[in-house]
Amino acid sequence: MPGLPEVTVAGTLTADPEIKYFDSGVCVANFTVAANDRRFDKDQGQWVDASATFLRCQIWRQEAEHVVESLSKGNRVLVTGALKQRSWETEHGEKRTVMELAVTEIGASLKFATAAVRKATREAATGEPAAQPAGPPPF
């Protein structure tokens, strides 16, 4: 796929995701994922953690609400998205650059945990819950 590099990161949420609503009704959730490498040190006979890499992430709209409702600090997650670089200048004239992940998919990692998945329903334009189909769910 041309364009920005898409990456998948496995890591741990460093804090509860935070959500912000705009006047238009659109919302965004921001969170940070800490990822580190772990290797077995034969000399020490134990696992050793490398230093962590912290990646700031954001996800928009209904998915943002799902993240805030479903995940919290300490949860291990798998996150996929486009890696973006953002630059700005501070009020003191210092230039800053940060790498961020524009999230397209996120889920709980089941490597060290279990999860119960509950399908979300979309709301109709009237604000009423969407009608549920008759019969069992498609999966």
Side-chain angles (χ1 to χ4, degrees):
M1 177 174 130
L4 297 173
E6 186 168 283
V7 298
T8 298
V9 176
T12 304
L13 292 179
T14 62
D16 291 342
E18 297 176 356
I19 196 163
K20 177 181 178 183
Y21 287 88
F22 297 94
D23 292 339
S24 64
V26 174
C27 61
V28 62
N30 292 291
F31 53 93
T32 300
V33 174
N36 66 312
D37 196 15
R38 182 171 236 221
R39 296 202 168 111
F40 188 77
D41 185 327
K42 291 180 184 177
D43 295 336
Q44 295 182 20
Q46 64 184 1
W47 288 94
V48 178
D49 290 331
S51 61
T53 297
F54 297 91
L55 186 58
R56 192 75 179 142
C57 304
Q58 67 177 209
I59 190 166
W60 292 83
R61 298 179 177 74
Q62 188 172 19
E63 292 89 343
E65 292 176 331
H66 294 173
V67 166
V68 171
E69 291 173 15
S70 304
L71 300 169
S72 59
K73 178 181 179 177
N75 289 152
R76 186 164 171 83
V77 294
L78 300 171
V79 184
T80 299
L83 197 55
K84 294 183 176 185
Q85 179 175 302
R86 183 171 57 89
S87 299
W88 72 97
E89 194 170 306
T90 68
E91 58 187 38
H92 301 294
E94 299 166 317
K95 295 184 184 218
R96 304 279 190 217
T97 300
V98 66
M99 295 299 290
E100 297 176 324
L101 192 62
V103 178
T104 55
E105 294 279 339
I106 183 171
S109 170
L110 302 181
K111 188 172 184 176
F112 303 114
T114 62
V117 178
R118 183 174 35 103
K119 185 171 176 146
T121 58
R122 291 187 177 257
E123 292 188 9
T126 61
E128 297 294 320
Q132 296 296 315
F139 50 83

